[in-house]
Amino acid sequence: YNINKIRNFSIIAHIDHGKSTLADRILEFTGAVTDREMKQQFLDQMDIERERGITIKAQTVRLKYKALNGEEYILNLIDTPGHVDFSYEVSRSLAACEGALLVVDASQGVEAQTLANCYLAIENDLEIIPVLNKIDLPSADPERVKQEIEEVIGLDAQDAILASAKEGIGTQEILEAVVHQIPAPTGDPEAPLQALIFDSWFDPYQGVVVLVRIVNGTLKPDMKIRMMASGNTYEVGSVGIFTPTLKKTDSLQAGEVGFITAAIKQVRDVQIGDTITEEKRPALKPLPGFKPVKSMVFCGLYPVDSGQYEQLKEAVEKLWLNDPAFSYEPEQSAALGFGFRCGFLGLLHMEIVKERLEREFELTLLSTAPSVSYKVLLKDGSTIYVQNPAQMPPQEKIECIMEPRVRMEIYVPRAYVGPVMGLCDEKRGKQLDMKYLSQDRVLLTYELPFNEIVLDFYDKLKSVTRGYASIDYELTDYKPAEMVKMDILINKVPVDALSIIVHKDKAYYRGRELVSKLRSVIPRQLFEVVIQAAIGSRVIARERVAPLRKDVTAKCYGGDITRKRKLLEKQKEGKKRMKQVGRVEIPQEAFLSVLKTD
Ligand code: GDP
Ligand code: MG
């Protein structure tokens, strides 16, 4: 152990700029993984992450690097989550480092996530090494991108390393820069223990594995430890490093990064950003930067088959134990029966959790449209938070509804500035700033209602910019807004799970749109179905689905039996996500149709 020979760093990049590919090259170059072990993109481990090409858990690996000066260094490469939903986790992973490689695609330039991550790195006082990746591409324009880095981030980029992670160009130069430009950690292995928790997960063999950066002191097996924010105490089972597989060691000392296990039963007991100290010789203060996690986006989850309620209950309980960012409470819907109102960090987190519940617990779920949390000031002087539109109190009890707002940065080629501004206007945005980054690229800053983003902002932005825009946002505060609750009635019966909260000025339009969407997704039934949108007792839109006897096999003339069976199976398949509401069968699509506006 020689603290001066340790370098802790991470790679920050906008999605697809080559972070994982570069990490692979570095692992290869330092011989951390042999060819046989070498799975492409080693650091993205979970199935869902691999499939989606994103990282949602910080991964870390210890490497040995013999530098050109003949000295051997220990490098800890910490891979950070790559999505705006997980920016708190990113910031804690970065707090475990002294430096970061800023990877920018030389054919694209600075994008929203580049800047957002860069700010997090700067806040954590990291030494930043710019790397221009993909220089093998004919469209690479390193000079322009250098200029962008300087103008937008204010970072000297003249000595940026030119690299191609794909072709292995620049890998050694990057490692040399890591060794010479990033400072060694400081910290005293004899001081009272302060270890930063920056990630944790459940391992079927080890129990909960906690990723830590030792800032001061030394962690050893059998030590009695305390987590300073939660107050939980444990006895350390094992400590060790990632090579990249878990390898036990005798201790972890100041400056080092590694894992501990401590017979911790569930991930929920470990809070990211918390500080571990020694029970008998505690540190005076926890490390800075701890924040409890908070759900931002909510939706109702219901089993399609109400017989699966107990299974769903078990599944959400299990998931809750191992995902501290996930919250839930039982919810009852007149339309959907028993289910849960679940809270997530953001839309991606929501998608991942839903996918996991269905995949790992073999459930078929129906989800309501996502909603944000409204702060509602009531006439009786109290304040409540409403996460389920169906639970919005009646208008006459409400003094004021406040909606959460975000500050958003949008990077876009000049040609699309007009459409983007149009979209932001339509979404009740307020422009805060507009900056030309280069002749062709513009940075727009807006304040926008969070519920508009949850609704369909991404999809629309993508379509008006042909995918050329990138965005990042953070929640700022609550502001009063004239929101109303809109109910959907099917054959005169309000379907609580279809209620939405919408801005007064958009209610008519949205009501009409929603009702016509519903008409198109609700299959014809044996009787007439009338769909209405209403605000309070006032109906603002109405459509009907004409009755029809739907006999799919009628076409078969009784002839081909296999074809007949196929059709029936197909119909059964289609029914899987139908929910009987009163006498009417409503498909899953209907509950999400509020999201798909055009
Ligand atoms: P990440 O999202 O930042 O982790 O990006 P990935 O490492 O997954 O890379 C995104 C895409 O860019 C993949 O298709 C890579 O093969 C490709 N890529 C990465 N580095 C290079 C490079 O240096 N040159 C070229 N041409 N493609 C690259
Ligand atoms: Mg990646």
Side-chain angles (χ1 to χ4, degrees), residues 352-402:
I352 291 170
V353 169
K354 275 200 289 197
E355 215 169 302
R356 215 165 264 173
L357 284 170
E358 298 206 313
R359 227 190 261 192
E360 293 170 20
F361 299 91
E362 290 173 10
L363 295 162
T364 310
L365 299 176
L366 209 135
S367 59
T368 65
S371 161
V372 302
S373 177
Y374 293 92
K375 185 172 174 177
V376 183
L377 312 183
L378 296 174
K379 290 222 162 101
D380 67 8
S382 60
T383 301
I384 56 169
Y385 287 85
V386 176
Q387 284 125 18
N388 178 357
Q391 278 161 14
M392 185 60 84
Q395 206 64 40
E396 61 273 14
K397 287 197 176 166
I398 297 175
E399 182 68 43
C400 166
I401 296 180
M402 318 241 312

Side-chain angles (χ1 to χ4, degrees), residues 6-59:
I6 301 174
R7 298 292 182 272
N8 298 314
F9 72 107
S10 74
I11 307 176
I12 57 184
H14 188 73
I15 189 144
D16 279 347
H17 283 199
K19 183 174 77 166
S20 303
T21 313
L22 179 62
D24 287 347
R25 284 297 91 73
I26 290 175
L27 262 62
E28 246 174 19
F29 195 93
T30 55
V33 283
T34 62
D35 285 347
R36 202 165 51 83
E37 289 175 325
M38 182 73 194
K39 276 188 274 167
Q40 243 217 325
Q41 307 200 335
F42 192 89
L43 290 175
D44 297 342
Q45 281 178 340
M46 281 171 57
D47 282 354
I48 295 176
E49 295 179 30
R50 245 174 215 286
E51 278 165 31
R52 292 173 178 254
I54 47 151
T55 311
I56 52 178
K57 286 264 143 204
Q59 300 288 342

Side-chain angles (χ1 to χ4, degrees), residues 197 224-235 268-271 274-279 286 290:
I197 299 175
K224 296 236 166 42
I225 55 168
R226 168 187 294 274
M227 299 189 182
M228 296 179 85
S230 68
N232 295 344
T233 57
Y234 300 95
E235 189 173 302
R268 178 153 288 263
D269 296 336
V270 181
Q271 289 179 280
D274 202 350
T275 302
I276 296 178
T277 194
E278 188 179 2
E279 178 80 322
F290 172 74

Side-chain angles (χ1 to χ4, degrees), residues 46 114 146 198 262 291 295 317 327 334 440 477 527 548 572:
M46 281 171 57
T114 319
K146 277 184 192 176
F198 64 93
K291 269 200 300 197
S295 301
E317 277 165 3
S327 62
D440 189 46
D477 55 0
F527 44 88
L548 176 85
K572 222 167 99 197

